[in-house]
Amino acid sequence: MLHTLRANSVALFRHIGAFLLLMAEAARGPIYDVATYRQNLARQMRQIGVESLPIVAVAAAFTGGVTTEQTIYQMRYPLIPESTIGAIVVPSVILEFGALITAFILAGRVSARIAAELGSMRIGGQIEALDVMGVSAAGYLVLPRVLAGLLTFPLLYVVASTVGSAAGLGIAAASGDVTTTQFLAGARSFFTGFMAVYGLVKATVFGFLITAIPCYVGFNADGGARGVGRSATRAAVGACVFVLVADYLLALLML
């Protein structure tokens, strides 16, 4: 058992070191064609951000609605003011659900796609071909995807938080238990600028993890078509796990 634990620990640190080396190589990779890089970045931002907007908005709306219904159910006591519902729902969406739900959706949608794309290129020899031509494969393939995640995920978080809070307000008003004025009064009473800053920091970290981890997994894919499938699954699961770890660490450090 100790031997297995030691071997797993060594493998983990080896992967962490290889991951950091890949990110460093991507960051310092020379840019030979600025126009091509700009087009690649724009394409990745569209695929990661714009095409994810509908599902993120739908998930955020249902999350805000369910959170409101559960809060109303638990707060049906005469001594608790109705404004408490808004004071619980809106901070919960901004501090936690807006970023976390978006991260899980993108981990399944984006991380698997990135790992499958790069895994197919690795197995098909396209990455080696870029290196032979003198083009930094890490800089050309990894950097635009990571930058796209860093730029678009905070915007998706803002959309998710806004839609989730609005859905919570609508459900609260429709329930008849809380008026719009009471809900907004509770939300304003507990809202601080730090909540938005904290949420944006989380979104930026999550955006990095959701794009960088599948880039590493796809870059090191092997085993043919079956290996590509394994890489996609491993990337999605790994992104979810590291998002949860980062969520806990950020809460520990910033709250």
Side-chain angles (χ1 to χ4, degrees):
M1 182 176 179
L2 289 177
H3 176 74
T4 303
L5 181 61
R6 187 182 303 110
N8 290 336
S9 300
V10 171
L12 175 62
F13 283 108
R14 181 174 58 82
H15 283 298
I16 291 174
F19 172 80
L20 294 176
L21 288 175
L22 178 63
M23 293 300 108
E25 182 182 353
R28 67 171 181 265
I31 299 177
Y32 298 99
D33 188 349
V34 176
T36 302
Y37 271 73
R38 188 184 296 117
Q39 293 173 2
N40 196 5
L41 177 60
R43 182 171 62 254
Q44 294 302 324
M45 290 181 67
R46 183 183 70 253
Q47 292 177 345
I48 294 174
V50 177
E51 295 179 4
S52 299
L53 271 174
I55 184 62
V56 167
V58 170
F62 278 99
T63 300
V66 170
T67 303
T68 302
E69 285 290 353
Q70 291 180 345
T71 305
I72 291 174
Y73 173 76
Q74 296 175 11
M75 294 294 165
R76 285 176 177 167
Y77 296 98
L79 298 179
I80 299 177
E82 287 78 4
S83 60
T84 305
I85 295 172
I88 292 176
V89 172
V90 174
S92 297
V93 171
I94 294 175
L95 287 173
E96 187 66 19
F97 295 136
L100 200 59
I101 294 299
T102 304
F104 284 156
I105 291 174
L106 264 66
R109 184 185 182 278
V110 174
S111 297
R113 177 185 62 81
I114 291 176
E117 287 177 350
L118 296 184
S120 299
M121 296 180 70
R122 169 65 73 184
I123 292 171
Q126 294 166 285
I127 293 178
E128 288 80 359
L130 288 173
D131 292 331
V132 170
M133 291 187 297
V135 177
S136 172
Y140 183 76
L141 298 174
V142 174
L143 186 60
R145 287 169 169 81
V146 175
L147 286 179
L150 291 173
L151 293 173
T152 59
F153 198 94
L155 299 178
L156 290 173
Y157 159 75
V158 172
V159 171
S161 298
T162 303
V163 172
S165 300
L169 172 61
I171 294 298
S175 68
D177 296 320
V178 186
T179 65
T180 301
T181 302
Q182 292 170 332
F183 186 93
L184 291 176
R188 284 194 297 266
S189 65
F190 281 86
F191 177 80
T192 62
F194 173 75
M195 291 183 181
V197 173
Y198 175 73
L200 288 172
V201 170
K202 284 178 62 171
T204 303
V205 174
F206 292 173
F208 172 78
L209 293 174
I210 286 170
T211 50
I213 290 174
C215 284
Y216 170 74
V217 174
F219 235 67
N220 295 277
D222 57 10
R226 184 174 297 179
V228 174
R230 286 198 302 266
S231 296
T233 303
R234 193 179 300 123
V237 174
C240 288
V241 170
F242 279 97
V243 160
L244 290 173
V245 173
D247 188 35
Y248 173 74
L249 293 178
L250 287 172
L252 196 65
L253 293 173
M254 297 184 65
L255 295 181

